[in-house]
Amino acid sequence: MEMINAIDLRAGHAFEYNNSIWQVLDQNFMKPGKGNAVMRVRMKDLKSGSIIETTLNPNAKFKKCIIDKKEMLFSYVDGDAYVFMDNETYEQVPLNHDQVEDALSFITENMNCTIQFYKGEAFSVEPPTFVELNIVECEPGVQGDTSKAGNKPAKLETGLVLQVPLFVNNGDRIRIDTRTGTYMERL
């Protein structure tokens, strides 16, 4: 069991805290003029997805957690289960809605995703960094219309609604950056 000091925590590290597995989003070492130094840590609970900000003693030790990642194919939805298939062994892993909720706006069936595991148990889905999706509903762009700063809402095949340029139309395929949820280009 590898231990890590709070002062050594960096973005991306996973550790055990209050009987949950947390991943560091960002951290800041603070040494006030009076009093003890502290670590301000913003972190995400890998099981529930909740994000908190807390203060830790820089010398506190935590159990370091190793998160395994595996590329898997989103196969199908079966009732409340979202089934992913291992591309090498063809083993199927069902996940519940809470585990895939953050990725659902960006993934479609037959798309490769990254599944995160802790101690052999899948707990989270990461969509690819860039995805290509079809527009199923948007207003036609009117040439010369600049009243909306050149953007309009568009609904994608996954149900996600985002802002796209005026020249994009129904049926177009676009690329999206899943880190920010923003339009990149029309294909």
Side-chain angles (χ1 to χ4, degrees):
M1 171 171 69
E2 188 177 346
M3 301 296 281
I4 187 167
N5 287 334
I7 198 162
D8 296 324
L9 291 172
R10 299 290 177 260
H13 283 177
F15 66 102
E16 200 170 291
Y17 177 73
N18 288 349
N19 299 320
S20 288
I21 308 302
W22 296 84
Q23 186 168 32
V24 177
L25 300 176
D26 56 58
Q27 82 293 337
N28 187 15
F29 178 75
M30 295 174 24
K31 176 84 170 104
K34 291 183 178 179
N36 298 328
V38 294
M39 288 291 295
R40 292 286 303 160
V41 181
R42 196 167 66 90
M43 54 195 188
K44 178 180 181 179
D45 186 327
L46 293 179
K47 299 274 183 182
S48 71
S50 63
I51 295 175
I52 64 167
E53 189 165 324
T54 190
T55 303
L56 302 173
N57 179 332
N59 298 319
K61 291 186 181 291
F62 300 98
K63 181 181 174 192
K64 189 172 183 180
C65 299
I66 306 300
I67 304 300
D68 297 318
K69 294 183 178 190
K70 189 167 206 165
E71 189 88 3
M72 298 182 86
L73 182 76
F74 177 30
S75 295
Y76 59 94
V77 179
D78 182 18
D80 293 336
Y82 296 82
V83 181
F84 292 82
M85 181 183 71
D86 188 316
N87 292 325
E88 296 167 7
T89 65
Y90 304 111
E91 173 190 359
Q92 295 187 350
V93 176
L95 298 174
N96 64 41
H97 184 268
D98 291 341
Q99 294 170 313
V100 299
E101 187 174 14
D102 293 342
L104 283 178
S105 296
F106 303 108
I107 63 174
T108 59
E109 291 182 2
N110 299 317
M111 183 180 283
N112 279 319
C113 303
T114 302
I115 309 298
Q116 294 183 320
F117 293 85
Y118 178 65
K119 292 186 177 177
E121 182 183 328
F123 65 85
S124 163
V125 177
E126 289 179 1
T129 305
F130 301 102
V131 294
E132 297 174 5
L133 297 171
N134 294 319
I135 294 179
V136 295
E137 188 180 312
C138 78
E139 300 172 9
V142 178
Q143 189 169 351
D145 180 5
T146 58
S147 64
K148 296 179 185 169
N151 288 327
K152 62 184 178 182
K155 185 176 182 179
L156 305 176
E157 60 187 296
T158 61
L160 177 68
V161 176
L162 59 88
Q163 294 293 313
V164 297
L166 292 174
F167 61 81
V168 175
N169 296 306
N170 272 350
D172 284 352
R173 192 159 179 83
I174 62 172
R175 180 169 302 178
I176 300 157
D177 184 338
T178 61
R179 297 168 296 189
T180 59
T182 55
Y183 166 88
M184 298 289 295
E185 64 181 330
R186 179 173 68 172
L187 305 169

